[in-house]
Amino acid sequence: MDRNHQLDLFGRQIYALASFNNRYNPLLKLISISYTPHSFLKGMRGWPVHSTRDSLRYAVALFCSEDHRWYSRATEIVRKIISLQIGKCGHKHYGNWPKYWEEHLVGIYRIDENWANFISTYLIEILILHRNKLPTDFHRKVENSIQKSIRYIQNRELSLDYTNIIVSTIYVILVFGEYMEDEALISDGVSLLSTFHSHTIHQQSFSEYNSPNYQVVTLKNLARLRRDVKDSNAQKLICDLYYLAWQNIAENFHPPTAQWSGSHTRSYSTLLKPEVLALLKRSTTESVQFSASSLHPPPDERFLTYDCPSDLEHLFQKLDKPRRIIRTLSCGQRFTTFLTPEFSLGSVTWSDFWHQRNVLIAYWGTPQRPCYLRLRFLHGEQDFSAAYFRSVQKDNKILAGISLATDIDIKNPYQGEHKISQKKILVKDLRLRFEFGGFAEIQQCKLPEDCSLPIILKSENIRFKLRIPYVRFGSNGVQWERHTTQSTTCLDLLLNNSTNSPALFSEITEAVIGAAVEISQDDQDIADVSIEDRESSLEMKWEELALGIWKKPAPRAILQTLKVDI
């Protein structure tokens, strides 16, 4: 490495660490982050809080700098994090950590069970990659802390469908087991890896399928496993999973827009975040041509590589003709994505409408000006998880139905059945939203008073054809409404928007919407949808697509049972 390159690398490291350095509190030996209030910490609104995970990530970045001047600070942070571990024997969360120092201060914890995985992963990386930078007499304290957290992790009941946490658990148990030469831990780690490998390879996809957030987290942890695991048989399984992670990413990438096509099980941003695009760019060769904000890895990932397999790179380069992707999980949930040089369109056979879901989503435009269409269901301006989506897709056409689930929390489907009694919930201003965003410019069109009549919306050379063949939602009438914000144009089907007579959730006896969506480049009308109205369900047929949906609110297991045909 020549001197100029060394100086350039050093300059980038200093710049990358600057945002951490500016937030470091030398008294607490932690860094601060802006806080989104919840629970007992609502009084902290507008104030910074001190994150245990972000602070330890900062310590890893300091060690990765290879600048001995930072090692003392990094060690101080590690000592602080270990001191915050819940160490009281008999405590329900013994071995885990609070998310924020402020929780430790007041002695009230809003525990995230995954925190033990996050913190332990960083501690293990420090032991393996930076052991010689720690004081010798401190090694054992770090090891003891990890052992406590592993006890906590192993006591959890984890589903194999919780992809990113399962992979993280494998890393913590297997890699630390090898480090400590603990045969029991090694056996547990290999066993979990083997079980997860069989489950995942069988369905040819991860259960947290097509998540722009958690697929990246999983990929990084698989890269850590590739780097740190010594067992050759385990490495074969890890390489299979690593390849599959890249395959799932590559096949859903839409080169004309540089977007990650849907449907998405979990997503925090409808448009691909710059840091994810940068990861894809720096993981591929120069033959992949799309711009990214930065080609340099985060400062804590200097010794982590996650190169894309060479035989998958062509999927990031160009899309000359339409491509169809269909993946079915072991639970029966099917994801369909249709990619063309002009647009991509994706959907899922069944799902709730949690805010992290993209149940029906399309992308078009260019990498510089990407556009999207996303289907949402809202209660006021909040996503309404208890609305239940079912669909069937054939290329550029989706036939969908929306009902209400009685056993899904209205805000978070993972909070458990009936955690909030649906009988007590007043619902008003319910709406099905077709949200156009990014750089989408939607031409004005007259909205029909009769909601069953077709609508054609235009954006550039793309036509969005919508039809609502059937809708009943409580006792109020329905109507279309269009409104715009600085970043979106929304076409809303208002369902129960009477502010004077909100309905009890349990008293809505019929709640169902049928919808047909077609994307094309022609101006032909959208075909009619035939409806067979039965006592408790609908049978919809649209060209070669058929879908049955329940008319009355019911548990999700029942809502999934009716016919889906292509």
Side-chain angles (χ1 to χ4, degrees):
M1 184 183 297
D2 61 42
R3 179 170 175 77
N4 288 335
H5 185 75
Q6 287 179 326
L7 289 173
D8 180 55
L9 181 62
F10 179 75
R12 292 201 305 267
Q13 290 169 352
I14 295 298
Y15 178 79
L17 287 173
S19 64
F20 285 110
N21 294 339
N22 293 337
R23 294 181 285 130
Y24 182 67
N25 184 322
L27 295 177
L28 294 181
K29 298 177 175 53
L30 299 169
I31 66 169
S32 62
I33 63 170
S34 57
Y35 179 66
T36 302
H38 56 64
S39 184
F40 60 91
L41 289 179
K42 286 181 180 178
M44 296 297 297
R45 183 188 297 271
W47 292 85
V49 294
H50 298 84
S51 166
T52 51
R53 180 171 67 170
D54 286 44
S55 296
L56 193 54
R57 182 184 171 213
Y58 176 41
V60 173
L62 293 173
F63 283 129
C64 285
S65 72
E66 296 292 288
D67 185 340
H68 66 89
R69 291 174 297 178
W70 293 116
Y71 297 166
S72 175
R73 175 179 289 188
T75 302
E76 288 179 346
I77 294 171
V78 176
R79 288 186 189 276
K80 183 68 175 185
I81 295 300
I82 290 175
S83 74
L84 294 175
Q85 187 174 26
I86 299 172
K88 183 179 179 181
C89 290
H91 194 287
K92 179 181 178 182
H93 298 290
Y94 174 86
N96 202 350
W97 279 267
K99 295 175 75 171
Y100 310 108
W101 171 79
E102 283 71 15
E103 296 178 60
H104 175 80
L105 178 67
V106 298
I108 303 174
Y109 300 102
R110 187 180 187 270
I111 290 295
D112 184 327
E113 291 184 306
N114 298 331
W115 233 244
N117 290 71
F118 302 151
I119 299 294
S120 296
T121 295
Y122 285 135
L123 290 177
I124 291 170
E125 279 195 309
I126 289 170
L127 274 183
I128 290 176
L129 301 178
H130 310 290
R131 179 183 174 88
N132 63 331
K133 301 166 188 172
L134 291 169
T136 305
D137 61 353
F138 189 46
H139 295 170
R140 190 58 192 160
K141 288 187 177 180
V142 179
E143 292 164 2
N144 286 340
S145 178
I146 297 169
Q147 286 172 329
K148 291 177 186 177
S149 70
I150 287 178
R151 189 186 309 177
Y152 179 85
I153 290 168
Q154 289 187 309
N155 284 335
R156 289 184 66 184
E157 292 185 8
L158 278 177
S159 165
L160 292 174
D161 294 333
Y162 203 168
T163 302
N164 78 93
I165 298 302
I166 284 287
V167 175
S168 171
T169 298
I170 293 167
Y171 178 83
V172 169
I173 294 174
L174 179 53
V175 174
F176 188 69
E178 289 187 335
Y179 172 85
M180 296 295 293
E181 298 181 350
D182 185 323
E183 293 299 327
L185 280 183
I186 294 172
S187 177
D188 289 346
V190 170
S191 176
L192 181 57
L193 171 62
S194 179
T195 302
F196 178 70
H197 176 274
S198 298
H199 170 78
T200 303
I201 297 300
H202 173 73
Q203 61 185 9
Q204 276 300 293
S205 57
F206 297 93
S207 295
E208 278 181 332
Y209 177 69
N210 207 33
S211 168
N213 297 89
Y214 291 103
Q215 189 95 23
V216 170
V217 172
T218 296
L219 177 68
K220 290 182 177 182
N221 280 326
L222 288 169
R224 290 185 174 96
L225 284 163
R226 282 207 319 165
R227 181 192 64 194
D228 298 335
V229 168
K230 301 172 185 176
D231 185 277
S232 58
N233 292 325
Q235 275 293 348
K236 293 176 183 177
L237 304 183
I238 293 164
C239 288
D240 287 345
L241 294 167
Y242 181 83
Y243 185 90
L244 182 60
W246 267 113
Q247 183 181 44
N248 285 174
I249 295 170
E251 67 185 6
N252 284 286
F253 188 78
H254 189 236
T257 58
Q259 292 298 311
W260 189 320
S261 299
S263 169
H264 306 130
T265 52
R266 299 182 69 180
S267 178
Y268 295 151
S269 174
T270 310
L271 293 176
L272 197 58
K273 290 185 176 180
E275 57 266 30
V276 177
L277 198 60
L279 179 150
L280 299 180
K281 179 61 178 176
R282 66 174 175 266
S283 302
T284 51
T285 64
E286 293 180 358
S287 63
V288 176
Q289 298 294 323
F290 58 79
S291 60
S293 58
S294 173
L295 298 183
H296 308 304
D300 59 305
E301 295 178 14
R302 181 178 175 187
F303 300 110
L304 185 64
T305 59
Y306 24 78
D307 294 338
C308 175
S310 58
D311 64 322
L312 296 176
E313 279 203 352
H314 70 280
L315 294 171
F316 292 100
Q317 293 171 354
K318 195 173 183 181
L319 183 64
D320 294 321
K321 58 184 179 181
R323 186 170 77 242
R324 301 165 187 82
I325 304 160
I326 299 176
R327 290 283 178 264
T328 303
L329 304 185
S330 56
C331 62
Q333 196 176 32
R334 186 173 70 233
F335 295 82
T336 301
T337 307
F338 182 59
L339 303 98
T340 78
E342 293 75 33
F343 64 86
S344 73
L345 175 65
S347 65
V348 60
T349 47
W350 46 262
S351 174
D352 55 69
F353 271 92
W354 188 34
H355 68 91
Q356 292 186 25
R357 314 284 193 222
N358 287 331
V359 298
L360 184 159
I361 191 160
Y363 293 102
W364 69 102
T366 66
Q368 295 74 32
R369 296 178 61 84
C371 311
Y372 73 82
L373 162 64
R374 179 190 178 197
L375 184 67
R376 301 171 66 189
F377 195 100
L378 303 177
H379 179 211
E381 284 300 316
Q382 289 190 329
D383 293 275
F384 191 73
S385 294
Y388 208 72
F389 178 83
R390 296 191 76 229
S391 77
V392 58
Q393 178 176 348
K394 178 67 179 296
D395 294 345
N396 64 327
K397 299 176 182 178
I398 296 174
L399 181 62
I402 296 96
S403 307
L404 289 184
T406 57
D407 59 347
I408 298 179
D409 183 83
I410 65 170
K411 293 182 179 180
N412 188 338
Y414 296 108
Q415 285 190 350
E417 297 181 3
H418 304 300
K419 186 165 184 180
I420 299 177
S421 172
Q422 311 289 33
K423 294 181 180 179
K424 299 178 182 178
I425 296 173
L426 288 173
V427 288
K428 59 183 180 181
D429 192 17
L430 294 174
R431 56 184 66 206
L432 181 69
R433 171 168 293 176
F434 294 86
E435 179 181 284
F436 296 85
F439 292 87
E441 296 180 359
I442 305 300
Q443 296 182 15
Q444 289 286 349
C445 72
K446 185 176 181 180
L447 299 178
E449 293 184 9
D450 183 350
C451 294
S452 66
L453 295 177
I455 296 174
I456 297 181
L457 301 171
K458 300 179 181 180
S459 176
E460 300 179 2
N461 62 335
I462 306 296
R463 306 293 184 266
F464 301 89
K465 305 172 186 181
L466 314 176
R467 186 183 284 276
I468 305 295
Y470 189 96
V471 55
R472 299 286 189 280
F473 239 88
S475 58
N476 292 331
V478 297
Q479 66 185 70
W480 284 111
E481 177 184 273
R482 173 177 171 143
H483 62 93
T484 60
T485 68
Q486 188 174 359
S487 58
T488 62
T489 297
C490 300
L491 186 64
D492 290 354
L493 184 65
L494 305 186
L495 303 167
N496 185 358
N497 64 323
S498 172
T499 56
N500 296 323
S501 56
L504 278 170
F505 187 102
S506 59
E507 293 178 355
I508 300 178
T509 56
E510 185 173 4
V512 62
I513 306 169
V517 179
E518 178 182 350
I519 301 180
S520 68
Q521 292 181 284
D522 62 62
D523 290 314
Q524 294 180 5
D525 287 339
I526 185 171
D528 290 337
V529 178
S530 65
I531 299 288
E532 184 178 341
D533 190 353
R534 299 172 181 173
E535 181 179 353
S536 59
S537 65
L538 298 177
E539 176 89 12
M540 299 191 298
K541 293 184 179 179
W542 182 39
E543 297 183 344
E544 65 265 65
L545 302 179
L547 180 68
I549 49 175
W550 291 98
K551 295 163 62 176
K552 299 179 181 180
R556 74 186 95 183
I558 293 177
L559 298 178
Q560 295 171 12
T561 57
L562 294 181
K563 182 175 71 173
V564 175
D565 280 339
I566 299 178

